[in-house]
Amino acid sequence: MSTLREIVKLNQEHGTFTEPSAFNWDGRYRIPTSKVAVAWSPIGWELTFEPYKFIDEDENGNEIEYETGEGELIPDRQGRIAMHMVGDDHVEYFDADELVLIDDDEYCTCCGQIGCHWN
Ligand SMILES: [Zn+2]
């Protein structure tokens, strides 16, 4: 599975897009810190590996937490946003405050470029 599809799928499974959020997942964004003037679309939180743990007690009755060595990838709600370049498969990660919401008529729906007037 591609990174893009895996990010979308896991974020869907974990309810990222339906839970109340200050972030507009449906919006298109430009990224002033990026050199390319294209529109980006958010696809979910960056994934992070969460190890499975179990809790045991030592001989004095103190709880000890162990990692099993296994785990799963989950969306990191404290993390960065995975952004997909419109018109491409390219995925990069940015902090939410690096993103600037744009209007639909500010970018080309064909190639994703800001300033292209194809449509
Ligand atoms: Zn265009």
Side-chain angles (χ1 to χ4, degrees):
M1 198 187 302
S2 75
T3 305
L4 193 156
R5 284 178 54 200
E6 187 173 29
I7 293 169
V8 172
K9 179 174 171 282
L10 288 173
N11 274 275
Q12 278 169 346
E13 286 175 6
H14 287 264
T16 300
F17 308 119
T18 51
E19 71 196 9
S21 167
F23 189 75
N24 179 357
W25 294 104
D26 297 323
R28 297 291 177 272
Y29 293 83
R30 68 184 172 84
I31 301 168
T33 53
S34 163
K35 286 191 176 65
V36 275
V38 296
W40 298 73
S41 151
I43 58 170
W45 297 108
E46 185 173 17
L47 302 179
T48 187
F49 185 78
E50 183 169 86
Y52 294 145
K53 293 175 181 168
F54 65 94
I55 301 203
D56 204 356
E57 284 186 2
D58 66 14
E59 59 272 24
N60 302 315
N62 299 314
E63 285 191 348
I64 310 174
E65 200 174 73
Y66 292 98
E67 293 190 3
T68 63
E70 292 178 20
E72 62 179 330
L73 285 170
I74 58 159
D76 178 8
R77 287 172 168 76
Q78 270 29 270
R80 296 180 299 173
I81 307 229
M83 299 296 288
H84 167 226
M85 198 186 271
V86 172
D88 202 333
D89 281 345
H90 192 61
V91 176
E92 284 188 38
Y93 305 94
F94 298 94
D95 291 321
D97 61 11
E98 289 182 87
L99 308 174
V100 180
L101 197 61
I102 56 176
D103 289 328
D104 277 349
D105 60 7
E106 283 186 66
Y107 70 98
C108 174
T109 52
C110 180
C111 67
Q113 283 185 44
I114 295 169
C116 168
H117 297 292
W118 178 86
N119 55 339

